[in-house]
Each structure stands twice: as C-alpha cells, then as structure tokens.
Amino acid sequence: MVVFPLAMMEGRRFAAPWLLAVLLAYFAVQLFASEPVFYESFDETFEGRWIVSEKEDYKGVWKHSKSEGHEDYGLLVSEQAKKYAIVKELDAAVNLKDKTVVLQYETRLQTGLECGGAYLKYLRPQEGGWIPKEFDNESPYSIMFGPDKCGYTNKVHFILKHKNPKTGEYVEHHLKYPPSVPSDKLTHVYTAILKPDNEVRILIDGEEKKKSNFLSADDFEPPLIPPKTIPDPDDKKPEDWDERAKIPDPDAVKPDDWDEDAPMEIEDEEAVKPEGWLDDEPEEIDDPEATKPEDWDDEEDGEWEAPKISNPKCEAAPGCGEWKRPMKRNPAYKGKWHASLIDNPSYKGIWKPQEIPNPNYFELDKPDFELIAAVGIEIWTMQDGILFDNILIADDEKVAELYREKTWKSKYDVEKERQKAEEAAAGLSDGLSGIQKKVFDVLYKIADLHFLEAHRGKIIDLIEKGEKQPNVTIGILVSIVVVLLTILFKILFGGKKRPAAPVKDASETAKSAPAETDNSQREEEHEQEDAAAPRPRRSRRET
C-alpha cells in the first residue's frame, strides 16, 4: 500500500502541484515495470522480423502456424531430421548484471520428442561485421536454456558461457542435475530466474524444479570459480608405495585333496531313459505341404530343400532322437584354489599427489554476465511439430507470472482436459488410472535425484514406456525397482577406489571436453539410416 502525503490544512486546497507530479511519476514507474523488456507472441508472421539462417547446414523450414486445437499462433518446426536456425536481434541489449532477469518461453512437442532440442540461445553482442542470416552453432551466446532429449540425454539445459578473467577464454558452465523434460504433448512454459544474489531458479509451468547458486561448485560443471589448490602434476608415486589393502596369505597351502581339474558337472549315472522315447525319430522333418516355388532357379538359388517343421510324433512322446543322460553338479568340484586374503602389513593407502596452489585460481563475487543482444533458436531434431511461442525477457518475476497466466495457463488447461477426455474414452485399460499417474509422478521425482544423474536417461526411458503401455505397468515398475536397487548397490558396495585424477581448472576442462551443445556431434551419434539393405534369397529355411 502506498500512502501519499496530503496537505490537510483547513480552508486550503490540499492537492499541491508537487503531489500531482509525484502521482504521475509513481504511475509511470508502475506502468513501465509491468512491461517486459522483450516479448514475442508470434501473433503475426515472423517473416521480416526474425532472420532465418542461410547457412548450408540449416535446411529446416520454419512456419507461422497455429497450435493444434487453438487459435494461438507460434513458430513451428515443420520437418523431421533437419537442422534449424533463426534469430531476432533486440532493439537494445539486455544487461543481466546487478538485477533480477527472467527468461521465459513456451514450447509444445506436438509429435513428441525422441531425439532433438527445443532450447533457446541468448546471444551476446557479436563481433563487427556479423550477419544475422549467417547465424549458426558457432555464434557466441551468453545463456542457453530449454529442453534437450536424445538417447540417455533428457534434461532442461541451463548453460552459462562465462569469460575466464585470467585467460580471457569463454567456458561453458552446465547446470548440474537439471530437471527432465515433460514427456507429454502439451504446451509447457519454461522459466529461468536470475537473481542479483547469484541465485538461479528453473521453473516448469510455474513450479520451481531447481534452485542453484552460480558460484557453487556443487551446482555447475565446471565450477565458475576454480579450486584454490590442485594436485601437483609433477608429484610422482614412490616405486615402493603399496596400495593393496589385502594380499594372499603367503603361509597358506593348498589341501592335498583339492582337485583343481575336477569338472563342474558330470553325467547323472542314476538317470533312466523315459519310457516311450523315440530313438529313431528326428526332432524335425521336412514340411510335407511345402512345394518348390515356381520361380526357383537351381543354378542361381542352389538345390531347393523343403523347410523344416517340428516332428508331430515327438509331441506325444517324452522325446525324440538320441537320448543322453542329463548333467548334474559334480560334488567333487572345488575350482581353482586361491590362498585366503590377509591384511597387507605394507599397505600405505591410496596414493594421491600433494596439493599445490592453483595458478589459475581467481575469486569472483558474482558472474560477469555478458549482454544479451539477440535471441536465437539453433537446433537439430528428428521430430517435427515443435512449436515455440511467447518468448519473454523481463526484469520482474511478477511480469513473467502475469504472462504465464495470460498466455499459457488457459491453453494448458484446455489441452489437459482434452487429454483426460481421450483417456476416459479409450477406457481404463488403455489409459492410466489415478493411482498409476501418482506412481509415475513419484518416479519422475526420483529420477531427478542428484545421485541418479548418470542413470537418469535409462530410468526415464523405462518410465515413459510404462506410461505408453499401461497394461504392462507392473512389469515396468519392477524393472525400475531393479535398476534403482542395482544403482544403490553399486554406490554402497562399489568397486576398488582409484587414485584421484588431477583436477583441471575451468579453462582446461572446457578445452578437453567436447561441448554438449554441438549439433554436428549429436548428428553423428544419433543419425539413422533411411532404408534397409535388400534381403538376400535363401536356399533353405533358416532354423
């Protein structure tokens, strides 16, 4: 509530001229604060306002299209297995420093997303002579944000490209343990809130999914601030350093009755051939109803032989063919003898190089954000039907919330109700019951746990199969439980510890690790063949 001072002197006018100026200034500030810094609704065609890349690799066709079931327009990815690039230069660059900045946009995966990206790139000011129609994967950006899914990759990226103050090089810093991508075909709104206290929050449909700190080594990989110390690269392990915690007992002796050559299995001498066994009948016979094809050429195809079928005489008998005694475990089997393990008296522990001051260490009070000069979409995807809409940059969380309610919520509610109606019309056996939905919601939250990051793709794949095939939900749930138990077992009872690898600083890490956002690399990893090789003719049935 705002209280304005009023002159309350009796017998005088109390609306002083300066008060009117204050009121006008106040309402002007409120009006200005309610407007986004940048907003694109795609209500009108993008042509002439957004620039489509003319680079040779980007053959995907963008279309101005309605969202299915709505009158609302968006920017549509219209073809499968293509690269797409389009960019919009801002009228004025956006400063991310020392204030709240909200990045928000909607996307709808109308045909699903098996392999591809649906993220945005917020470009920093380009070098002189940069031409927007040459926008591509190499165009430098400040922030990359949004869904990406392919194989075991399933995440809502948030990547900050930050300039190392010591080397001057730009390094990609990836948010650790980002949330997964919603698996349905509904419209979703993605929000990233950058705060002046170094906090970043990721929201999906207005619900907070991740909160992190830009300067925390636990939240970004590689961390923005390098470690103060690093392992000494010149420190070498002494030759007499013994890392074996256990060793074979040198005093142990193999027992005299230990037979290492005894087989694991032997014939069961007590077994008796079942009565009625047909020794002279083969298990398979030529199909008496099979005939040689009219177009069979013996010279080209070889001698024709009838395909085999199971011998019907064997179905009524205990068995056919030569009878052999079954095998059983050999009670005398002990395997190879090994001396028992004892504590190693020379054990010194796992060797690690000594720590030395990191020459590349620097301190940082807050990230040195680059300006945002343009917004671009540069993706490679196997799917069509990806619709982008309502791209917003604001300096007020309330503005982003207002636009979510205004542009997204009504569409999402309509789509959700339509989805429920379709599931109800299909019957309970074809849809997910309320209990099943709750179970899958819990499983998605489990998949987002930090310690499951390396296995998240596999777990989410199983969850999505369960959602698509609700009639096998129990089997899917069992599979997920087995995966989780296996992971927990590995964490609790993992293999031998290895010497710690030298820790690299941020710039070295960036040089040695390939960028996860390289579309050409993604294409090499996931490209699929369009046609299968012709099947050769066979001279006889394969069995």
Side-chain angles (χ1 to χ4, degrees):
M1 179 178 179
V2 179
V3 179
F4 296 102
L6 297 178
M8 301 298 293
M9 298 176 63
E10 185 176 353
R12 294 183 55 187
R13 289 187 176 184
F14 51 82
W18 62 267
L19 177 57
L20 182 59
V22 171
L23 284 169
L24 290 174
Y26 170 77
F27 287 115
V29 168
Q30 294 302 307
L31 181 63
F32 180 79
S34 66
E35 293 296 321
V37 177
F38 169 77
Y39 177 61
E40 173 59 80
S41 66
F42 293 109
D43 289 340
E44 299 179 358
T45 181
F46 63 89
E47 295 177 356
R49 299 184 301 110
W50 288 68
I51 307 300
V52 177
S53 176
E54 296 181 2
K55 282 294 190 73
E56 184 178 355
D57 287 347
Y58 299 93
K59 301 296 186 182
V61 176
W62 296 99
K63 289 187 177 180
H64 184 238
S65 176
K66 289 182 181 179
S67 179
E68 294 179 5
H70 303 288
E71 292 300 314
D72 185 47
Y73 281 86
L75 181 64
L76 180 69
V77 169
S78 66
E79 298 176 306
Q80 298 180 349
K82 300 284 186 180
K83 287 184 177 182
Y84 292 80
I86 191 170
V87 66
K88 165 69 173 173
E89 290 190 285
L90 305 184
D91 294 335
V94 179
N95 189 348
L96 304 179
K97 298 179 181 179
D98 303 322
K99 64 179 180 179
T100 295
V101 175
V102 184
L103 309 175
Q104 181 170 286
Y105 74 101
E106 297 172 16
T107 187
R108 186 180 183 189
L109 311 175
Q110 297 178 129
T111 60
L113 184 63
E114 294 298 326
C115 186
Y119 43 77
L120 267 58
K121 289 184 175 180
Y122 299 87
L123 308 183
R124 66 177 187 258
Q126 310 297 293
E127 295 180 358
W130 182 74
I131 302 174
K133 65 182 180 181
E134 295 183 358
F135 171 53
D136 62 9
N137 187 55
E138 300 300 321
S139 300
Y141 65 87
S142 177
I143 290 173
M144 190 184 108
F145 173 53
D148 188 19
K149 182 179 178 184
C150 198
Y152 287 152
T153 296
N154 186 325
K155 62 181 71 175
V156 178
H157 279 295
F158 185 90
I159 304 174
L160 172 65
K161 211 161 190 180
H162 189 261
K163 187 176 182 179
N164 185 307
K166 282 213 165 184
T167 65
E169 296 180 355
Y170 285 91
V171 180
E172 285 187 359
H173 300 275
H174 293 244
L175 178 66
K176 287 185 179 180
Y177 319 118
S180 54
V181 182
S183 60
D184 53 45
K185 300 177 183 179
L186 309 180
T187 300
H188 294 283
V189 56
Y190 297 89
T191 309
I193 303 173
L194 289 63
K195 305 286 288 184
D197 61 357
N198 298 327
E199 179 184 274
V200 56
R201 295 163 52 213
I202 306 299
L203 282 60
I204 301 179
D205 298 344
E207 179 182 349
E208 183 177 296
K209 297 293 185 179
K210 181 74 176 179
K211 180 190 290 186
S212 299
N213 188 292
F214 280 112
L215 302 187
S216 171
D218 295 329
D219 291 341
F220 280 85
E221 177 63 37
L224 270 72
I225 301 177
K228 288 186 176 182
T229 62
I230 59 172
D232 185 354
D234 298 323
D235 194 11
K236 306 297 181 184
K237 182 171 69 174
E239 294 182 0
D240 61 347
W241 191 281
D242 197 337
E243 294 183 324
R244 299 173 300 163
K246 298 282 186 178
I247 59 172
D249 185 353
D251 298 326
V253 179
K254 182 174 72 174
D256 293 336
D257 62 346
W258 193 290
D259 184 1
E260 292 187 326
D261 297 324
M264 182 181 294
E265 291 185 329
I266 58 174
E267 283 189 356
D268 185 356
E269 298 293 340
E270 298 178 358
V272 179
K273 180 169 68 174
E275 185 177 351
W277 189 279
L278 304 178
D279 296 88
D280 299 327
E281 289 290 339
E283 294 182 2
E284 290 187 332
I285 61 172
D286 290 343
D287 186 353
E289 298 181 359
T291 58
K292 180 178 178 180
E294 294 181 0
D295 63 344
W296 190 275
D297 188 329
D298 289 338
E299 293 184 0
E300 179 183 344
D301 300 322
E303 182 181 356
W304 181 83
E305 297 181 19
K308 298 290 186 180
I309 62 170
S310 298
N311 189 344
K313 294 181 180 180
C314 297
E315 295 179 2
C320 291
E322 181 185 359
W323 179 81
K324 295 181 180 180
R325 285 189 173 87
M327 304 296 287
K328 70 174 186 179
R329 183 173 178 82
N330 183 4
Y333 172 76
K334 293 184 178 181
K336 293 293 182 182
W337 180 85
H338 298 281
S340 58
L341 297 178
I342 62 172
D343 292 336
N344 181 5
S346 301
Y347 176 66
K348 295 183 178 181
I350 302 299
W351 181 85
K352 294 181 180 180
Q354 65 178 348
E355 294 284 317
I356 62 172
N358 183 359
N360 293 319
Y361 173 76
F362 57 83
E363 294 185 355
L364 200 65
D365 292 330
K366 55 183 58 183
D368 187 17
F369 292 112
E370 298 289 336
L371 299 174
I372 295 177
V375 177
I377 305 173
E378 187 274 321
I379 57 175
W380 178 84
T381 177
M382 292 300 295
Q383 270 69 50
D384 57 357
I386 301 175
L387 192 77
F388 294 89
D389 200 5
N390 295 313
I391 301 173
L392 176 142
I393 302 175
D395 52 14
D396 189 338
E397 294 181 52
K398 293 294 183 183
V399 173
E401 182 179 353
L402 177 65
Y403 273 79
R404 284 197 301 270
E405 289 294 323
K406 177 183 175 182
T407 65
W408 165 77
K409 188 67 166 61
S410 58
K411 287 188 294 187
Y412 178 81
D413 289 343
V414 168
E415 294 162 9
K416 195 71 175 176
E417 289 301 317
R418 186 183 299 123
Q419 183 185 61
K420 289 180 181 178
E422 291 173 353
E423 290 175 356
L428 183 60
S429 61
D430 296 327
L432 292 175
S433 68
I435 295 177
Q436 285 175 313
K437 286 187 176 183
K438 291 180 180 178
V439 170
F440 283 114
D441 287 343
V442 171
L443 290 175
Y444 274 116
K445 291 180 180 179
I446 292 174
D448 281 336
L449 294 176
H450 290 189
F451 70 92
L452 297 177
E453 164 70 8
H455 311 274
R456 180 179 298 160
K458 184 183 297 183
I459 296 171
I460 288 177
D461 279 350
L462 287 172
I463 297 172
E464 290 179 349
K465 287 179 182 177
E467 287 185 308
K468 294 175 182 177
Q469 306 175 59
N471 57 317
V472 294
T473 295
I474 298 300
I476 295 293
L477 292 178
V478 171
S479 300
I480 294 172
V481 170
V482 170
V483 171
L484 292 175
L485 290 177
T486 302
I487 295 168
L488 289 173
F489 184 84
K490 288 181 179 180
I491 292 173
L492 295 175
F493 309 102
K496 295 180 180 179
K497 295 182 178 179
R498 299 179 180 273
V503 178
K504 299 179 180 181
D505 66 85
S507 60
E508 290 177 340
T509 305
K511 292 178 182 178
S512 61
E516 189 173 349
T517 57
D518 188 343
N519 285 334
S520 61
Q521 179 181 354
R522 182 200 305 282
E523 186 174 14
E524 292 175 3
E525 293 176 352
H526 305 295
E527 187 176 28
Q528 302 175 357
E529 295 184 3
D530 294 331
R535 187 176 181 180
R537 299 184 71 176
R538 300 175 298 179
S539 60
R540 60 180 291 131
R541 179 183 176 188
E542 295 177 0
T543 59

